[in-house]
Amino acid sequence: METPPPPPPQQQHFLFVTNPMQGHVNPARRLAAAVAACNPDARVTFSTAVSGHRRMFPSLARPDDEAVDAAGVLHVPYSDGFDDGFSSSTHGTGTYKARAFAAGHATLSAAVSRLAARGHPVTRIVYTFLVPWVPGVARAHGVPAALFWIQPAAVLAVYYRYFHGHAAALAACANGGGEDPGAVCLPGMPPLPPEALPSIVSITSPEHRHHLLLDLLRDLFQSLDEHRPMVLVNTFDALEHDALRAVPELEVAAVGPVVPAAGDAPPSSADLLHRQDAEAAAAVMEWLDAKTARSVVYVSFGSVLSLSERQEEEMRRGLDATGRPYLWVARKKAAGDGGGGASPADGGGARGLVVEWCDQVRVLSHPAVGCFVTHCGWNSTLESVARGVPMVAVPQWTDQPTVAWLVEARMGAGARARVDGEGVVERGELRRCVEAVMGDGEAARGVRERSERWSELAGEAVAPGGTSERNLRAFASAG
């Protein structure tokens, strides 16, 4: 009697899960695309909360219907209990965690079961940090999980130490107290001054408006201790060599920068949550095409931050004072035209252009752009690093102060703007910083040269055989 042939190996199936914020959805989708490229035989599915899913696919008959994007990736939403979107002002923060955790666990678990029933069982779940309940779903289905850390490795190390015995020292340093308010020393890290610390470690009261985020991070790190998932970090070894090794208690691997390549077609480079019509997008590129090389100041503070009226005014006057053309991505309040297209900036004349949204990767890739005035969101920063564009760092909260420290003090690829007593970057300070990276002096030339070198190192990391590419390929093949 012949021995029957062995069953075919199970197809690897990666399920990526994130909360519905743009800054989490975009890098997670890009990592999903990178895993699919490394392992074409694998199946990739993506899941975010219904509120984000319906914005990504607004033409669905029902907001929780499944959808397939242009790359062929199946999108299966889960419910976090706030299908119309969560608002702290409307819903408060007291019940968010219990409601989101219970609804998320139940609906994502049901989605995993549906996929298995179709003959496509999930073999690995990858999640971002604001859905710390996901490893519980993975364990319930006997599936290994991996955390995709979408902030710097330095922030991962700081948070890990905060929740493992260093909370008092970090809070004291961040708030200007303690024995040595000048810096805090953590295992495996260089001395960190207060301005290098993520804002969350300064929270000492449950009444703080961002205490919910601290609470979610505490749950995340408790989950890391319990489940010990692999941690994939959106960074690269040359940039954060020490920080990547500062937490030996965790299995950490750099897989970045996870940013779209120049010229990538949608959906890898397209923002599914914010769109610009083709005519407006063309107008931006035509405007840039008319400018000389490295002459334009590009300004964007991401999709979450809303500038105060005074900061808007100081920003506008500071940009005018540079005497350079500028492209400013602002909300309607700042743009002032109530529309989604491009319009001349108030007071900027022909020199300034204000838009509500643009394809940031295309803009940063344009030879006319000479610097990026940024809030230091990690996605935006890595996009700038990958394109070799010097930065003016204007950090606001969470990981952004640490990112600004990396840009200025560790990379030498930008200048950090200092704020006044009201937390506003005044016009003269903005002008100073722009000249520090775009001027004719030796120091500015050095910033530009270092920016170009970091771009080369970032490219080497993700190129075939690079440190990040090897890590990603190993993860994609292991399943």
Side-chain angles (χ1 to χ4, degrees), residues 17 37 51 58 100 117 125 131 203 205 243 247 302 326 374 383 388 413 440 452 469 475:
V17 185
S51 59
I125 297 180
V131 284
I203 296 175
S205 168
V247 187
Y326 59 88
T374 172
E383 289 169 0
D440 297 326
E452 291 173 358
E469 191 271 345
F475 175 77

Side-chain angles (χ1 to χ4, degrees), residues 294-306:
R294 295 185 177 274
S295 66
V296 174
V297 180
Y298 171 58
V299 185
S300 177
F301 293 100
S303 60
V304 175
L305 179 66
S306 180

Side-chain angles (χ1 to χ4, degrees), residues 136-345:
V137 175
R139 174 172 287 188
H141 289 267
V143 176
L147 170 66
F148 179 35
W149 184 256
I150 59 172
Q151 296 182 345
V155 176
L156 175 70
V158 169
Y159 286 156
Y160 185 87
R161 297 305 170 192
Y162 179 91
F163 295 112
H164 292 82
H166 295 264
L170 282 163
C173 181
N175 293 310
E179 296 181 2
D180 181 11
V184 63
C185 294
L186 302 175
M189 294 290 290
L192 297 171
E195 64 269 18
L197 298 177
S199 65
I200 299 303
V201 303
S202 69
I203 296 175
T204 57
S205 168
E207 305 304 317
H208 192 284
R209 64 193 183 105
H210 295 144
H211 189 268
L212 173 61
L213 178 54
L214 177 62
D215 200 25
L216 292 172
L217 285 168
R218 180 178 289 107
D219 288 334
L220 175 79
F221 282 87
Q222 288 176 349
S223 175
L224 288 178
D225 288 341
E226 178 183 358
H227 298 283
R228 294 291 174 180
M230 185 176 188
V231 182
L232 307 173
V233 185
N234 191 7
T235 191
F236 56 104
D237 194 78
L239 178 57
E240 295 195 274
H241 180 84
D242 293 340
L244 284 162
R245 294 157 180 80
V247 187
E249 296 88 342
L250 300 176
E251 182 184 3
V252 177
V255 294
V258 182
V259 297
D264 271 4
S268 61
S269 65
D271 181 353
L272 289 186
L273 299 183
H274 293 80
R275 294 177 176 84
Q276 184 181 42
D277 64 68
E279 184 177 347
V284 170
M285 301 314 293
E286 289 173 5
W287 186 86
L288 287 172
D289 289 342
K291 303 298 181 287
T292 58
R294 295 185 177 274
S295 66
V296 174
V297 180
Y298 171 58
V299 185
S300 177
F301 293 100
S303 60
V304 175
L305 179 66
S306 180
L307 299 180
S308 67
E309 290 186 6
R310 178 169 171 247
Q311 181 63 87
E312 287 180 2
E313 178 68 8
E314 291 297 317
M315 185 68 60
R316 181 180 66 81
R317 291 188 178 274
L319 292 169
D320 287 342
T322 68
R324 302 177 185 275
Y326 59 88
L327 171 62
W328 184 2
V329 178
R331 293 187 170 191
K332 288 182 181 180
K333 178 182 177 182
D337 68 342
S343 65

Side-chain angles (χ1 to χ4, degrees), residues 15-20 45-57 60 62-68 73-81 83 103-115 118 133:
L15 173 62
F16 288 79
V17 185
T18 183
N19 71 302
T45 300
F46 193 92
S47 184
T48 192
V50 169
S51 59
H53 182 81
R54 66 176 16 154
R55 290 167 63 199
M56 296 165 71
F57 304 101
L60 294 175
R62 296 178 302 179
D64 60 347
D65 282 348
E66 296 178 4
V68 177
V73 173
L74 177 66
H75 289 250
V76 179
Y78 67 87
S79 174
D80 60 0
D83 291 352
H105 192 287
T107 57
L108 184 68
S109 183
V112 173
S113 295
R114 289 198 307 273
L115 292 168
R118 297 173 192 170
W133 45 267

